[in-house]
Amino acid sequence: MHKNIDKINKSWFSAGAVLFLVAVVFLKYQMPPPHVLLHSIQCYERLPPLWLLGLLWYGSYALMGGALGHTLSLKHISCENNGSRYLGAFLLLLAAILGAVWYMLLFGKQAVLFSWLLMGIGLAMLGGGVYVWTRVSKMAVVCLIGVLFVHILLWITQLFVMLHI
């Protein structure tokens, strides 16, 4: 019985990861390429390789979707932790949406400052989701700590570009 539950959780993890990954790939191809903004503000020398930043961004969304799918698929969970599960899911979805809007504002509208502020709010939502899920799923928390690290890295990188450091 335990093996069947693990298999279901892994399936939901994979389904969530693929769903989020498809969503951000679709979003990326709806926006102008990042090179347009980066060329206009001439900041290539201050950035890590763009392929690495893109890989980190895609990976963070895959982990976010996987953590969400895994946590929502948990069967045996106490009533008090069930509320934490849905609160964390809500915060994670808000963080994912704010991250997508960050991308659209930064590369679609070139609203550098506003997108940076929005990403900060998304980081707060993501941090709240990590905190709430500490009682629900350790695996999801580990995944989300990786996501939080990547998003903090992107947030600081954008700050350095804005300040021309």
Side-chain angles (χ1 to χ4, degrees):
M1 179 70 173
H2 188 65
K3 288 183 182 183
N4 288 339
I5 290 174
D6 285 344
K7 189 181 285 189
I8 290 171
N9 289 348
K10 287 178 186 177
S11 298
W12 277 99
F13 183 92
S14 299
V18 168
L19 182 68
F20 270 52
L21 195 55
V22 166
V24 295
V25 167
F26 178 76
L27 171 69
K28 182 192 181 308
Y29 287 105
Q30 299 303 314
M31 296 292 113
H35 300 289
V36 172
L37 172 70
L38 299 176
H39 184 62
S40 70
I41 60 176
Q42 300 174 351
C43 65
Y44 280 113
E45 65 277 353
R46 290 184 291 271
L47 289 175
L50 292 182
W51 64 266
L52 179 62
L53 291 176
L55 188 65
L56 288 172
W57 191 66
Y58 286 137
S60 73
Y61 270 88
L63 281 176
M64 238 191 284
L68 183 65
H70 166 74
T71 304
L72 292 179
S73 73
L74 294 175
K75 298 288 184 211
H76 302 291
I77 194 166
S78 69
C79 190
E80 85 177 24
N81 287 344
N82 203 27
S84 295
R85 171 182 21 193
Y86 292 116
L87 176 60
F90 177 72
L91 291 172
L92 183 64
L93 284 174
L94 276 178
I97 290 168
L98 289 173
V101 172
W102 164 80
Y103 191 88
M104 290 188 291
L105 286 174
L106 182 61
F107 296 115
K109 299 293 181 185
Q110 297 184 2
V112 178
L113 178 62
F114 188 62
S115 67
W116 182 78
L117 293 172
L118 200 64
M119 180 65 132
I121 295 169
L123 282 171
M125 297 296 155
L126 188 57
V130 169
Y131 175 74
V132 168
W133 273 358
T134 55
R135 293 178 284 182
V136 179
S137 170
K138 300 300 180 204
M139 189 196 96
V141 168
V142 169
C143 290
L144 291 181
I145 287 174
V147 171
L148 192 59
F149 176 75
V150 168
H151 283 229
I152 288 172
L153 177 71
L154 291 173
W155 192 61
I156 290 172
T157 301
Q158 185 176 348
L159 177 65
F160 285 169
V161 167
M162 288 181 350
L163 297 176
H164 301 289
I165 295 177

